[in-house]
Amino acid sequence: MAKLILLLLNWIFLCCNVAAVFEDQVGKFDWRQQYVGKVRFSHFDSHMQSSKKVLLASESNVFAALNTRTGELFWRHVDKTGPEGNIDALLQHGQDAVLVIGNGHLLRSWDIGVGGMNWEMVLDPGSFRSACLVGHQGAVKHLAVLKKTVISLHYLSNGHQKWVENLPESETVDFQAVYSGGNGEVYALGVVPNSHLAIVVYSLEDGEITKQVSVEAPWLSSIPASCSVISRGLLTCVDSTTMSLYTLDLHLQLEMTQIPLQTLGLDVDPGFRPSLVSHQPNPAHPPLSEFLLQLGPEHHLLLQHNDGQIVTLRDYKPALLASFATAGEKTVVAVMAPKNKTACSINLFSAETGRRLLETTLIFTVDPNGGKPEKLHVQAFLKKDDSVGYRVMVQTEDHTLTFIQQPGRVMWTREEALSDVVTMEMVDLPLTGAQAELEGEFGKKADGLMSMVMKRLSSQLIMLQAWIAHLWKLFYDARKPRSQVKNDVSIENLSRDEFNLQKMMVLVTASGKLFGIDSKTGDILWKHYLENIPLNAAFKLMVQRTTAHFPHPPQCTLLIKDKDTGLATLHVFNPIFGRRSQVTPPALPQPILQSLLLPLMDQDYAKVLLLVDDQYKVSAFPSTKNVLQQLQETASSIFFYLADSGQGRLSGYRLRTDLSTEQVWEVVIPTETQKIVSIKGKRSNEHVHSQGRVMGDRSVLYKYLNPNLLAVVTESTDLHQERSFIGILLIDGVTGRIIHEAVQRKARGPVHVVHSENWVVYEYWSTKSRRNEFSVIELYEGMDLYNSTVFSSLDRPHAPQVLQQSYIFPSSISTMEATLTEKGITSRHLLVGLPSGGILSLPKMFLDPRRPEVISEQSREENLIPYAPELIIRTEWFINYNQTVSRVRGIYTAPSGLESTCLVVAYGLDIYHTRVYPSKQFDVLKDDYDYMLISSVLFALFFATMISKRLAEVKLLNRAWR
Amino acid sequence: MASPGGQGGGALSTRGGGGARRMKWALELSVGNTRSRSDRQGGQGDVVYPIGYSEKPVPDTSIQETDKNLVEKRCWDVALGPLKQIPMNLFIMYMSGNTISIFPIMMVCMMAWRPIQALMSMSATFKLLESSSQQWLQGLVYLIGNLLGAALAIYKCQSMGLLPTHSSDWLAFIEPPQRMEIMGGGMVL
């Protein structure tokens, strides 16, 4: 019987926890944006005249096809991260696209129409050098792959190997390029740096070496950087030291012909490494005899090889970029030239003659908040009158793709930088103008009673006006069908909604581009590209002033640290408009170790940011007199900790009044055995409503809510499955006291940790049982509080009670975060990003070390779920239903104005935003709430009461007359 | 003192018909007899009682010794009423159980409300007991009875867990403790 009741209870409990969305709610509160990453290779699908596809292979190991009309994805394939999935080459022929992946490990062919895979071939090991399509007698049927020691030929139709040959003298010669001109021969070009060039010619039929020559070239170090094959097998190289062009006929010559650039009347810009670009429109035919030569950052040339002579067809100066494109039989050169500061013009030139084609000018407006143009991808097509038309896709330094049509209409832009979000924050939107006016009224000083009254009246009038306008809009919109109602959001009309559900997402990307995105629609409202961001920069974003202090604009500060030099810079900006703030950030001459945002505010309501330099000295920003005075007063209660993973040192410091620091404690974790992987403190905006837990006998188990507690995770350096372990340390950040220490033997990282309230949840791989496990630690003070009014780490004589439990999780995870709400009344959920692309909302209730193994009356009273080692993934717990979020790297949670609602952003390759309701929407009427029914019933009842009252009166009167 | 026309609309019409014959008004001085003068003239009793005379015998209202005992008894009944309720209440309590649902709650409310109501109208009860010689004792017994009833209701509340007697009931009112130290930091960037 008890079991039955328990089952029933469980069932009811589980029913209450369904968090799935209804079909009509799809896309109502959530949106997803899919990205590709920084584009490495692109090909316009030109085998069909009407095709509107562009193939992109990116540095994030993604292969995708975009719709050139809209910029949306047709299909996308996401490969493994890291070098394993690295796309080395993209070759397209007809309906097939062949990718070389993972340093020549795999060969994959895709059908570009539907994005399905044709075949996959595993290649012999060896580091990849080059690949090309091989045509013969007008048809392209093969593909040559050159590796460090072997060259192999594959059929395009099924990927099978036709032949594979070892490269001769591969120990000394570095083979770097492979070329085929459609004459039944495959050329492998190798170089012995600064000595000679080696050319090996293979027969297409059987892979036999038909010719092997070596040519003196003492100036040559790398073939792809300075050489190209033009015309009928003419290897052309450019060298900056000898200021010459070198040509070599691969069929006939045994020595290079030197053509000094001076004889052509050309000169290389000092310090610039010239490069050569040739163009082979069809692999079955030899390349064009025209080629592009770049001699300076803004200097391009179109040259032609004609009867052993190099002729200059056209000199483009200034020209930022130049690129070949072929439409039908015609080949054109698109050249981008700077026009003025904000615009560039693109022109088409005939490749054969170098003449400018008429009416082909296209204006590209350079975004002042974007980067410089970096690559030009040209899609040329034949118009009806047989002239060449074109569209261009411009790739800029900030990884943006802009697709432009003549005469300069931007068809779409894609912000591929968003595929690599490093950190983000959500900022409340400002109040509307009217509200701000009202707010401002209280902020200002009083200036006479009469004017105050007038001001109040006028502001009330404005509010009334706004309200009427709002009502009118509602009424007006209600008549239109729902699909047509589109809230056009722009920075000007941004305002906070009544429940603060719409916020500004400030995203920082690895490329150094900052974005402001409206959380409701996902529209990019502003972007700002920070130039000269070092490659391995560390970012830390802090909100110094929120929108709550009206006349003062909100202020965010981004700390950018170059990991190589240790030097850091601050970028201070307004998170709503993206503009650089007027406040000048301090110059930081010393390397910065960490920063610390204090809850102290200066007179302008900006929180004080402390920057700790490598001398352990502290500087404040803003550093006004007021701030320094406040700092002096509170210095004795300001502590900070620093963790150095390399040295295995964890140390705590205290601030002195003169802004120097003294070390208070130090914990050394021996680096020979383990290393610090991550440290998690508590989030500063976290509120805990309940200070304890109610037991079955209605007593209280008080939580140990130490705001200074740190969870330190270490991993063993020894990765052997018998000896590897992970450790978790709970340290008080002020005193350095170790509250708890746990070591999980036979376990391995990566460890994902969430630290919140009085609990720490972590996930690891158990090498012993070969499974993923979750473990939860909860800390309790006991049955009575030591000090209920203040919490001081320095005065805590009793150690907390520690409870721990572990569970088996059926999947590995990518990231983990806990939900966060305004007041902390709502129960907590863990948001788990899975590698499959799902985001799981796992109730914290399942990760509770008090889950009993033996059910008792008390545990039932407490609503504890009996312990079961397995955590089950229920499909209705996926908050992103079928909207897969690829490669989730982080989840950001922010509270909204509604206690029940938490805003969630998952970022990785894709960006996904939604709302979650961990305890369901207890403070909101449901979507399908029947207002009509309720109000009609109310009205009906009201009228019925009125009528019956009247009737009763009449009846009473009649009776009185009797 | 009824009007001579008799009762109802029917009589009214007769009056209208023979209005000339009858007087406009008449005073009947006999109490017991309600017959009209015309009937009397028709001839049976011509005895006329004086005003205020009643044929019924008036009961003797002078206080006697036995009545005093009765009043005392009655007053004790009133005073012991609440005490007599207690066994009944106990039984109801036992039957309704400790689960929190609508019926036990209603019963508890009734049980609590009745003694409170009684205690509120204490003065009225005292007035009732005024005639008794043991008024103060009875009043005390009445009070104790009601208090016992209230106590029983509170006990019931307690056993049902409705009283905020545990620390957990005050948990929601505990403010989060104030933080004394400011701490921050992290991995060396």
Side-chain angles (χ1 to χ4, degrees):
Chain A
M1 189 61 197
K3 267 191 176 170
L4 202 76
I5 291 170
L6 200 79
L7 215 89
L8 199 76
L9 270 176
N10 257 344
W11 185 75
I12 290 166
F13 162 75
L14 289 173
C15 279
C16 295
N17 260 289
V18 173
V21 291
F22 292 102
E23 196 179 347
D24 61 334
Q25 288 179 319
V26 165
K28 202 169 175 187
F29 313 116
D30 61 319
W31 50 262
R32 175 180 64 160
Q33 286 168 358
Q34 291 185 304
Y35 293 98
V36 173
K38 187 189 178 187
V39 174
R40 183 179 283 166
F41 306 109
S42 83
H43 268 288
F44 284 97
D45 176 20
S46 56
H47 84 281
M48 246 161 59
Q49 193 60 251
S50 61
S51 176
K52 45 180 184 180
K53 271 196 197 81
V54 57
L55 301 176
L56 302 176
S58 77
E59 293 188 354
S60 318
N61 309 347
V62 177
F63 181 48
L66 293 187
N67 185 339
T68 54
R69 302 280 187 280
T70 60
E72 279 158 16
L73 287 174
F74 275 123
W75 45 260
R76 185 179 74 169
H77 294 289
V78 182
D79 210 332
K80 289 174 196 153
T81 48
E84 264 182 288
N86 188 43
I87 298 174
D88 301 318
L90 164 64
L91 305 166
Q92 190 211 342
H93 182 258
Q95 189 69 8
D96 299 331
V98 181
L99 292 184
V100 185
I101 295 165
N103 202 6
H105 180 234
L106 286 174
L107 210 55
R108 277 193 195 132
S109 168
W110 303 91
D111 182 289
I112 59 173
V114 291
M117 195 196 281
N118 293 328
W119 48 260
E120 183 186 68
M121 202 41 73
V122 182
L123 301 184
D124 300 330
S127 64
F128 174 79
R129 289 298 142 99
S130 178
C132 79
L133 291 169
V134 181
H136 187 43
Q137 291 167 349
V140 182
K141 285 184 181 150
H142 302 100
L143 162 86
V145 178
L146 181 78
K147 292 197 169 188
K148 193 175 186 307
T149 53
V150 291
I151 179 165
S152 58
L153 200 77
H154 300 260
Y155 292 100
L156 256 187
S157 54
N158 54 16
H160 289 306
Q161 211 164 21
K162 186 167 182 179
W163 47 259
V164 57
E165 294 295 329
N166 282 322
L167 291 162
E169 300 167 38
S170 60
E171 308 85 52
T172 51
V173 182
D174 186 12
F175 284 92
Q176 289 174 334
V178 60
Y179 156 77
S180 162
N183 54 359
E185 284 173 331
V186 179
Y187 293 81
L189 309 176
V191 67
V192 177
N194 304 324
S195 162
H196 66 272
L197 187 72
I199 300 160
V200 186
V201 187
Y202 291 90
S203 155
L204 175 64
E205 285 311 314
D206 47 8
E208 213 174 306
I209 297 176
T210 54
K211 199 167 139 192
Q212 189 175 352
V213 281
S214 105
V215 180
E216 282 291 311
W219 41 269
L220 187 66
S221 59
S222 163
I223 299 176
S226 50
C227 295
S228 214
V229 181
I230 60 160
S231 195
R232 303 193 170 273
L234 190 74
L235 184 72
T236 313
C237 301
V238 64
D239 178 47
S240 55
T241 46
T242 54
M243 293 280 205
S244 302
L245 277 178
Y246 294 88
T247 59
L248 171 79
D249 194 323
L250 294 174
H251 307 294
L252 312 167
Q253 281 177 311
L254 289 174
E255 215 167 302
M256 289 204 140
T257 329
Q258 185 177 7
I259 308 165
L261 286 171
Q262 269 92 354
T263 60
L264 298 167
L266 301 173
D267 201 11
V268 182
D269 285 15
F272 187 80
R273 206 188 150 85
S275 65
L276 257 173
V277 179
S278 70
H279 185 57
Q280 188 175 14
N282 188 343
H285 299 292
L288 298 179
S289 53
E290 292 82 19
F291 60 97
L292 285 168
L293 177 66
Q294 187 178 8
L295 293 178
E298 291 202 352
H299 190 195
H300 291 259
L301 286 159
L302 178 65
L303 303 176
Q304 191 181 37
H305 179 255
N306 201 348
D307 299 332
Q309 294 288 316
I310 301 280
V311 189
T312 309
L313 287 180
R314 186 105 187 185
D315 191 339
Y316 306 109
K317 194 175 185 181
L320 291 171
L321 300 165
S323 169
F324 279 111
T326 303
E329 296 296 308
K330 291 184 181 171
T331 300
V332 289
V333 183
V335 179
M336 179 188 265
K339 201 175 170 199
N340 51 37
K341 266 191 180 165
T342 58
C344 291
S345 67
I346 303 169
N347 279 299
L348 273 197
F349 297 85
S350 160
E352 280 168 40
T353 58
R355 269 207 306 274
R356 199 170 83 86
L357 300 176
L358 291 175
E359 290 172 19
T360 53
T361 311
L362 192 150
I363 305 294
F364 169 69
T365 325
V366 181
D367 185 359
N369 293 322
K372 291 192 196 83
E374 203 176 42
K375 255 190 208 172
L376 202 60
H377 308 273
V378 185
Q379 181 191 25
F381 53 88
L382 288 177
K383 288 186 193 163
K384 281 189 186 118
D385 58 352
D386 222 31
S387 63
V388 181
Y390 74 119
R391 301 185 191 98
V392 285
M393 186 167 77
V394 183
Q395 186 180 350
T396 42
E397 279 175 338
D398 53 345
H399 307 178
T400 308
L401 295 178
T402 315
F403 196 77
I404 315 167
Q405 202 179 25
Q406 269 182 295
R409 193 166 73 87
V410 175
M411 293 180 77
W412 47 263
T413 48
R414 282 181 72 87
E415 296 291 349
E416 292 301 341
L418 282 172
S419 69
D420 202 0
V421 175
V422 183
T423 175
M424 69 168 291
E425 283 288 343
M426 268 181 155
V427 184
D428 292 352
L429 288 176
L431 301 163
T432 54
Q435 281 170 305
E437 180 97 357
L438 204 66
E439 201 103 316
E441 193 181 311
F442 299 111
K444 279 170 199 144
K445 292 250 167 11
D447 47 352
L449 190 70
M450 203 54 210
S451 65
M452 287 282 279
V453 170
M454 287 312 290
K455 206 184 274 176
R456 160 53 66 94
L457 280 179
S458 67
S459 53
Q460 294 281 21
L461 210 70
I462 292 168
M463 283 181 83
L464 187 74
Q465 208 178 337
W467 186 66
I468 290 167
H470 174 71
L471 279 188
W472 172 247
K473 192 169 179 291
L474 268 185
F475 174 72
Y476 196 74
D477 283 350
R479 299 188 309 179
K480 284 195 260 179
R482 200 172 184 174
S483 56
Q484 278 184 22
V485 181
K486 197 177 178 303
N487 280 332
D488 35 10
V489 187
S490 70
I491 281 183
E492 283 70 36
N493 62 13
L494 267 187
S495 66
R496 201 181 297 178
D497 59 339
E498 46 189 328
F499 295 128
N500 202 3
L501 289 164
Q502 186 180 5
K503 293 198 180 197
M504 176 67 85
M505 291 161 54
V506 179
L507 296 113
V508 180
T509 62
S511 66
K513 197 167 188 184
L514 311 183
F515 291 91
I517 295 184
D518 172 29
S519 76
K520 196 176 180 185
T521 56
D523 294 339
I524 296 170
L525 296 179
W526 59 261
K527 43 200 170 189
H528 186 89
Y529 179 59
L530 300 173
E531 275 167 48
N532 307 325
I533 295 293
L535 267 178
N536 59 346
F539 296 92
K540 195 170 178 184
L541 182 65
M542 290 147 290
V543 182
Q544 275 197 296
R545 182 162 55 219
T546 60
T547 36
H549 310 284
F550 166 60
H552 303 287
Q555 184 179 322
C556 271
T557 303
L558 179 67
L559 175 74
I560 308 151
K561 183 185 168 182
D562 186 345
K563 275 185 185 164
D564 295 334
T565 61
L567 290 174
T569 49
L570 288 179
H571 174 65
V572 186
F573 63 101
N574 180 333
I576 303 299
F577 301 105
R579 282 195 291 264
R580 198 181 278 270
S581 182
Q582 265 109 31
V583 187
T584 40
L588 304 167
Q590 289 282 340
I592 296 296
L593 296 182
Q594 245 311 336
S595 72
L596 169 63
L597 196 66
L598 300 181
L600 304 176
M601 286 185 189
D602 73 344
Q603 69 271 37
D604 291 340
Y605 306 102
K607 282 184 187 166
V608 178
L609 183 70
L610 289 189
L611 297 154
V612 187
D613 64 21
D614 63 345
Q615 303 298 313
Y616 302 101
K617 277 226 159 60
V618 166
S619 54
F621 168 66
S623 58
T624 55
K625 218 172 166 188
N626 176 307
V627 170
L628 293 178
Q629 196 186 338
Q630 279 192 58
L631 274 179
Q632 270 184 6
E633 281 162 18
T634 50
S636 59
S637 64
I638 296 174
F639 296 82
F640 64 92
Y641 70 94
L642 288 171
D644 194 335
S645 179
Q647 296 171 20
R649 225 158 51 87
L650 193 63
S651 35
Y653 299 85
R654 161 204 287 251
L655 196 67
R656 289 212 196 105
T657 44
D658 60 343
L659 294 188
S660 63
T661 57
E662 63 178 323
Q663 188 169 331
V664 189
W665 57 269
E666 186 177 48
V667 173
V668 177
I669 289 157
T671 45
E672 309 88 65
T673 54
Q674 50 186 325
K675 65 171 195 292
I676 303 170
V677 180
S678 72
I679 297 187
K680 286 275 171 90
K682 281 172 190 169
R683 289 180 64 169
S684 56
N685 56 347
E686 178 185 87
H687 294 276
V688 183
H689 178 73
S690 184
Q691 299 296 304
R693 282 185 64 167
V694 182
M695 301 286 97
D697 60 355
R698 301 182 61 207
S699 57
V700 176
L701 186 60
Y702 288 98
K703 295 174 182 170
Y704 180 74
L705 294 167
N706 184 348
N708 307 322
L709 194 68
L710 304 171
V712 182
V713 180
T714 60
E715 280 177 25
S716 63
T717 46
D718 188 353
L719 288 177
H720 186 269
Q721 62 170 12
E722 285 297 314
R723 294 186 296 271
S724 70
F725 65 90
I726 60 157
I728 188 143
L729 276 171
L730 300 182
I731 293 185
D732 189 300
V734 170
T735 58
R737 180 178 172 191
I738 295 177
I739 307 287
H740 179 67
E741 187 177 15
V743 170
Q744 213 91 34
R745 290 194 190 285
K746 294 181 184 172
R748 202 168 57 194
V751 185
H752 300 275
V753 203
V754 171
H755 180 195
S756 176
E757 284 188 33
N758 63 329
W759 47 265
V760 178
V761 173
Y762 58 98
E763 191 262 5
Y764 54 89
W765 170 258
S766 162
T767 50
K768 185 186 173 194
S769 326
R770 292 160 192 272
R771 64 192 181 200
N772 289 289
E773 288 181 2
F774 263 93
S775 197
V776 56
I777 298 175
E778 286 195 0
L779 303 169
Y780 291 99
E781 282 209 7
M783 287 306 179
D784 35 32
L785 275 176
Y786 172 69
N787 185 345
S788 65
T789 51
V790 290
F791 190 99
S792 169
S793 290
L794 302 168
D795 177 30
R796 282 277 140 174
H798 310 298
Q801 299 171 10
V802 181
L803 303 174
Q804 184 162 17
Q805 220 167 51
S806 295
Y807 313 88
I808 305 164
F809 194 66
S811 163
S812 65
I813 73 170
S814 330
T815 185
M816 187 158 65
E817 187 55 81
T819 59
L820 192 67
T821 52
E822 184 80 19
K823 299 261 178 258
I825 298 168
T826 310
S827 59
R828 309 292 294 270
H829 276 201
L830 286 174
L831 299 169
V832 184
L834 303 179
S836 63
I839 296 165
L840 192 74
S841 181
L842 183 69
K844 168 68 180 54
M845 206 185 269
F846 282 95
L847 297 166
D848 181 356
R850 303 194 64 256
R851 281 175 70 173
E853 277 177 60
V854 184
I855 309 132
S856 68
E857 190 69 40
Q858 293 216 342
S859 69
R860 202 173 304 155
E861 188 84 357
E862 251 186 277
N863 268 336
L864 291 176
I865 313 156
Y867 179 75
E870 296 93 2
L871 286 175
I872 297 159
I873 295 180
R874 285 172 210 283
T875 43
E876 67 266 22
W877 285 349
F878 284 107
I879 58 169
N880 58 338
Y881 44 105
N882 65 352
Q883 307 261 51
T884 310
V885 187
S886 296
R887 291 198 200 138
V888 190
R889 235 176 305 110
I891 295 175
Y892 179 86
T893 52
S896 74
L898 282 175
E899 173 54 34
S900 67
T901 311
C902 167
L903 305 175
V904 178
V905 181
Y907 55 86
L909 187 63
D910 302 340
I911 296 179
Y912 181 75
H913 171 267
T914 191
R915 302 173 190 169
V916 289
Y917 319 100
S919 302
K920 297 178 85 181
Q921 283 181 284
F922 57 81
D923 49 4
V924 180
L925 289 180
K926 280 211 183 73
D927 254 1
D928 53 354
Y929 186 77
D930 206 338
Y931 291 94
M932 279 306 283
L933 185 77
I934 296 288
S935 48
S936 55
V937 164
L938 268 179
F939 275 111
L941 280 175
F942 177 72
F943 285 117
T945 329
M946 297 295 280
I947 291 163
S948 53
K949 193 181 171 193
R950 176 84 193 127
L951 285 177
E953 273 172 5
V954 168
K955 200 172 179 187
L956 273 177
L957 194 66
N958 279 342
R959 193 181 289 166
W961 271 108
R962 237 168 246 165
Chain B
M1 301 278 213
S3 72
Q7 292 87 22
L12 211 74
S13 63
T14 42
R15 188 176 61 175
R21 211 170 29 138
R22 290 185 189 171
M23 298 105 189
K24 212 159 193 185
W25 58 274
L27 177 67
E28 192 118 23
L29 290 171
S30 68
V31 175
N33 205 340
T34 53
R35 281 175 298 181
S36 62
R37 186 183 288 178
S38 58
D39 293 326
R40 220 182 294 153
Q41 276 168 350
Q44 355 161 322
D46 36 2
V47 188
V48 176
Y49 301 114
I51 295 168
Y53 176 80
S54 168
E55 273 181 284
K56 278 183 203 160
V58 175
D60 183 8
T61 53
S62 64
I63 299 161
Q64 290 166 13
E65 224 22 56
T66 47
D67 294 346
K68 264 243 154 76
N69 285 339
L70 274 174
V71 167
E72 207 88 322
K73 207 177 161 193
R74 174 83 197 119
C75 288
W76 273 118
D77 268 355
V78 171
L80 289 173
L83 276 178
K84 282 179 188 162
Q85 287 266 313
I86 286 175
M88 177 65 177
N89 280 352
L90 276 172
F91 181 69
I92 293 173
M93 263 171 62
Y94 171 71
M95 290 305 286
S96 60
N98 278 345
T99 51
I100 295 178
S101 61
I102 183 82
F103 281 103
I105 291 277
M106 271 162 63
M107 295 207 176
V108 168
C109 283
M110 290 280 282
M111 274 166 62
W113 181 238
R114 233 182 292 158
I116 290 166
Q117 214 174 11
L119 288 173
M120 300 270 263
S121 53
M122 203 57 185
S123 54
T125 320
F126 257 77
K127 218 164 248 172
L128 212 70
L129 300 175
E130 227 166 30
S131 47
S132 165
S133 59
Q134 290 169 305
Q135 184 192 0
W136 291 108
L137 184 67
Q138 282 162 351
L140 194 71
V141 169
Y142 183 76
L143 183 74
I144 288 169
N146 275 321
L147 285 177
L148 271 177
L152 209 62
I154 287 169
Y155 169 72
K156 181 67 183 168
C157 281
Q158 156 81 17
S159 59
M160 279 171 79
L162 294 177
L163 290 188
T165 49
H166 290 91
S167 49
S168 61
D169 300 313
W170 304 98
L171 184 63
F173 300 98
I174 302 178
E175 289 291 312
Q178 204 193 333
R179 192 174 167 177
M180 291 303 281
E181 293 94 10
I182 301 168
M183 194 227 36
M187 287 268 209
V188 172
L189 284 177

